[in-house]
Amino acid sequence: MKPRLFYCLALPLALSAPAAAFTDPASGDIAPYTAESGAPMDEIKQAMETPHLGLSLRVDPDSKSISGLALYTVQAITPLDSVEFDLDPRFAISRISVNGTVRPDSSWKNDGGKLIIALPAPIAADETVQVEIAYSGEPRVAPNAPWDGGFVWARTPQGKDWIATAVQGTGCDLFWPCLDHPSKRVGVLDLVVTVPSGLTAASNGKLVSVEEKGGWSSYHWRAKAPNDYGVSLQIGPYELAEAEYTSRYGNSFPIQFWHLPGQEENAESLIAEMHTYLDFFESTIGPYPFSDEKVGVAETPHKGMEHQTINAYGNEFVASPEGYDELMQHEFAHEWFANQLTGARVSDLWLHEGFGTYMQPLFLEWKDGHLAYDAAMWGLRKRIHSRVPVAPHEEVSSTLYDDADAKWGQDIYYKGAWIAHTLRGLIGDDAFFASLRRMVYGRPDPAPGNFAPRRGTTAEFRQIAEEESGRDLGWFFDAYLRQAELPRLIAEQDGRMLRLKWESGSDQTFAMPVDVQVSDRLVHVPMVDGTGSVDLILPDAHYVLDPFGMILRDNPAIAAWQKQQQDKAKAGD
């Protein structure tokens, strides 16, 4: 069915059904249900798939408002008599239609952000229904994009409108009706963004067409299976820099960078850098996942975000001392770890951020060698807090990300990267990178055209790593991901004997082998039952535990330093 994409372009902004009472979009007010992304799904959502969405959005910078029309094809997994979407209740809904017939107001309700629509007649499993939602209003203004999300209404240095969305933590429902859960994707998204003439709307997928009419420009983008929080708008007086990349896999695709006027030289430089990133990722992980669309980047008024095929970039072209744009490389890593592989639950978010963060030290190792890798890993180690589990068995709220006491929003990055580092040291490069490849692509032999975006879990990654390494890793995953505290290595010397013992919050024996440097000897201690010993030969021999820094473990010196930094910060308040 051809979607009715352009029907909403002239939607009025004052609509009949009143929105929920929010004092001011700029205040950061948000309904509790809307604030949580990835909330547990009820039976209705679980029974829905959305093979197609035609979404039209008109963005008005003068009134800082949007009007939208979402035309969904909904397919039932099991019989349905209602359908459900998430939509910020600050928006007014003017019309809901099912199969082209307008439904009465009594047939639907938006209860605090959960929009439930009764169907005129039930549909059976595998049947489809067309659902159309017309809405408008002033979207939430991001209090602190990209971390605390919403719309960013800004101005370029030349005073032109410059607009962006960033909704990872709070979800897609901040500006379009969606299934705000990581396990749900739209099969094909046809997105039409209408903006005042003179502005460009850069978004996901491939640009199908541009239409000019009455002082407005409509940009039609088409994306396959976008990650819901990765659907985004980048709007500004952009100029386009682009180049073609020829992949080691035999295909080629465009790199496109929408940048502000006057930044052409910087944009060209970053595109050249992107060639290097692609070479690294394709040789280390596998083929670029969205080669039939594009590698896309847009300059934004906020720091950055990993929107699928249109990464937001606001790092102002500042290179790190290591000679690369660390933020751009991190966000680009998410094309593999977030957009191709999406965690099935919020508690699996470390699969995005932990591996995305680990790609920076890995890139430095690939580019500059072991010293650069080790220095980067040591920098990350000092930022680990271990107050709550990284990936608990039970689901967690997305609001945990911003919990200043729990520090989960930091640990999924830095502890996640160190878990990857330690696992690599334990099972070896061959098994580690084979595990990553299978996890990302769902197969060991990815090639352009033979894979699609997929969902994954921590438990699945454990199973894959066990198969690739040929060893049980339950103790590893339990200690590092299901528990909060880090394992402690106890060393006690009795004469010439050094006795080692692991203590862990896990009920399972922590069987991490330990290398010990004894003078000029390197001794490998298996620690199969969590204990081991080393003959020092001489009672006064100097020894170093884990001399190559391969094991993530409790470090009292770092804990003391972190407390000192925290006390200084409090004293300065």
Side-chain angles (χ1 to χ4, degrees):
M1 177 179 177
K2 186 176 180 180
R4 291 175 285 169
L5 292 170
F6 291 90
Y7 283 15
C8 79
L9 301 186
L11 275 178
L13 295 179
L15 297 174
S16 57
F22 285 91
T23 56
D24 179 3
S27 71
D29 288 354
I30 190 168
Y33 179 82
T34 302
E36 184 171 354
S37 183
M41 295 187 294
D42 58 24
E43 291 183 1
I44 299 175
K45 270 189 189 169
Q46 292 180 41
M48 292 172 56
E49 291 294 354
T50 52
H52 185 266
L53 168 61
L55 177 62
S56 295
L57 294 170
R58 182 186 180 109
V59 181
D60 187 342
D62 290 340
S63 61
K64 293 183 171 55
S65 62
I66 65 173
S67 56
L69 183 69
L71 176 58
Y72 269 103
T73 299
V74 177
Q75 183 174 27
I77 301 172
T78 58
L80 282 170
D81 57 15
S82 299
V83 294
E84 180 183 313
F85 299 96
D86 299 314
L87 181 64
D88 190 339
R90 74 177 67 243
F91 292 113
I93 296 173
S94 61
R95 185 180 74 255
I96 292 179
S97 301
V98 176
N99 289 335
T101 300
V102 176
R103 299 289 290 150
D105 290 351
S106 60
S107 68
W108 59 268
K109 64 176 180 178
N110 189 3
D111 186 7
K114 180 185 286 191
L115 174 59
I116 300 176
I117 305 165
L119 298 176
I123 59 173
D126 295 328
E127 289 186 345
T128 62
V129 64
Q130 305 293 314
V131 180
E132 185 179 69
I133 305 163
Y135 66 101
S136 71
E138 297 178 52
R140 183 190 197 227
V141 175
N144 185 28
W147 299 279
D148 193 357
F151 261 68
V152 180
W153 305 93
R155 295 276 184 173
T156 70
Q158 294 76 31
K160 302 294 185 181
D161 287 306
W162 193 16
I163 304 160
T165 61
V167 298
Q168 180 184 19
T170 37
C172 47
D173 50 344
L174 284 187
F175 72 102
W176 57 285
C178 62
L179 301 179
D180 184 18
H181 195 275
S183 67
K184 296 293 186 180
R185 290 182 184 238
V186 172
V188 175
L189 170 65
D190 276 293
L191 173 64
V192 175
V193 186
T194 299
V195 296
S197 294
L199 299 179
T200 297
S203 194
N204 310 82
K206 296 181 71 170
L207 184 61
V208 177
S209 65
V210 181
E211 181 177 299
E212 301 285 346
K213 186 177 180 180
W216 295 82
S217 303
S218 297
Y219 290 81
H220 177 184
W221 294 91
R222 179 171 294 146
K224 289 186 283 188
N227 177 352
D228 57 8
Y229 78 76
V231 174
S232 68
L233 311 179
Q234 285 75 217
I235 300 167
Y238 289 129
E239 297 174 356
L240 177 62
E242 57 186 328
E244 193 77 3
Y245 180 77
T246 300
S247 167
R248 64 181 58 238
Y249 288 91
N251 60 331
S252 61
F253 44 88
I255 304 173
Q256 299 178 325
F257 189 174
W258 284 265
H259 61 87
L260 293 183
Q263 296 288 6
E264 181 177 359
E265 185 176 343
N266 285 328
E268 295 287 355
S269 177
L270 198 61
I271 285 177
E273 215 173 288
M274 193 69 75
H275 279 76
T276 306
Y277 301 156
L278 279 160
D279 191 17
F280 161 72
F281 282 112
E282 291 206 323
S283 63
T284 304
I285 308 299
Y288 176 64
F290 309 103
S291 59
D292 58 345
E293 296 181 350
K294 68 179 185 298
V295 171
V297 184
E299 196 173 354
T300 55
H302 65 84
K303 192 70 172 177
M305 180 55 66
E306 65 269 17
H307 305 132
Q308 189 167 311
T309 71
I310 187 67
N311 280 280
Y313 175 79
N315 202 35
E316 299 180 344
F317 306 97
V318 176
S320 70
E322 293 79 15
Y324 78 114
D325 195 308
E326 184 177 3
L327 180 102
M328 187 67 257
Q329 202 271 357
H330 175 83
E331 302 304 344
F332 191 49
H334 285 308
E335 295 286 27
W336 284 262
F337 300 99
N339 298 333
Q340 167 58 29
L341 166 68
T342 303
R345 305 185 306 159
V346 174
S347 58
D348 295 311
L349 193 59
W350 82 279
L351 295 171
H352 300 194
E353 302 299 354
F355 285 117
T357 300
Y358 188 52
M359 292 302 112
Q360 283 78 71
L362 274 183
F363 174 70
L364 292 174
E365 182 181 39
W366 177 85
K367 183 172 80 78
D368 295 326
H370 294 298
L371 175 61
Y373 174 89
D374 290 340
M377 291 306 303
W378 179 237
L380 297 179
R381 177 61 187 88
K382 291 179 282 187
R383 305 176 78 173
I384 296 172
H385 293 274
S386 293
R387 296 178 184 174
V388 297
V390 169
H393 287 291
E394 66 276 7
E395 182 58 296
V396 300
S397 168
S398 63
T399 58
L400 185 63
Y401 185 96
D402 296 314
D403 189 318
D405 293 325
K407 300 289 187 185
W408 181 77
Q410 292 185 37
D411 276 355
I412 58 175
Y413 291 78
Y414 312 123
K415 188 174 180 178
W418 258 85
I419 291 168
H421 165 75
T422 301
L423 180 63
R424 179 187 175 194
L426 176 65
I427 66 177
D429 278 10
D430 288 347
F432 178 76
F433 288 107
S435 298
L436 283 193
R437 195 165 297 113
R438 282 182 56 188
M439 187 66 182
V440 168
Y441 299 99
R443 58 187 302 160
D445 57 345
N450 75 355
F451 60 88
R454 65 182 307 273
R455 297 183 290 270
T457 66
T458 302
E460 181 194 21
F461 182 56
R462 170 192 164 182
Q463 179 182 346
I464 290 172
E466 288 180 336
E467 291 171 358
E468 292 294 337
S469 66
R471 60 170 74 189
D472 171 51
L473 296 171
W475 59 272
F476 179 97
F477 278 75
D478 193 67
Y480 282 128
L481 290 153
R482 309 305 191 183
Q483 311 292 322
E485 66 185 90
L486 287 174
R488 292 190 300 150
L489 182 58
I490 309 301
E492 296 179 346
Q493 186 174 346
D494 181 10
R496 59 185 280 176
M497 295 302 298
L498 178 68
R499 306 193 189 282
L500 304 177
K501 179 182 179 182
W502 282 113
E503 291 184 354
S504 168
S506 171
D507 293 334
Q508 300 186 47
T509 298
F510 190 71
M512 178 67 70
V514 179
D515 286 337
V516 182
Q517 184 77 45
V518 183
S519 299
D520 59 353
R521 291 185 297 133
L522 184 67
V523 181
H524 183 76
V525 187
M527 307 288 286
V528 176
D529 64 352
T531 65
S533 61
V534 178
D535 188 344
L536 301 175
I537 308 300
L538 299 173
D540 59 351
H542 177 69
Y543 67 86
V544 179
L545 304 175
D546 186 28
F548 303 112
M550 299 304 298
I551 305 172
L552 176 59
R553 57 191 172 102
D554 178 67
N555 187 320
I558 289 178
W561 173 80
Q562 287 175 338
K563 185 178 185 306
Q564 185 181 59
Q565 298 301 307
Q566 184 177 2
D567 291 344
K568 284 183 178 180
K570 287 181 178 179
D573 288 343

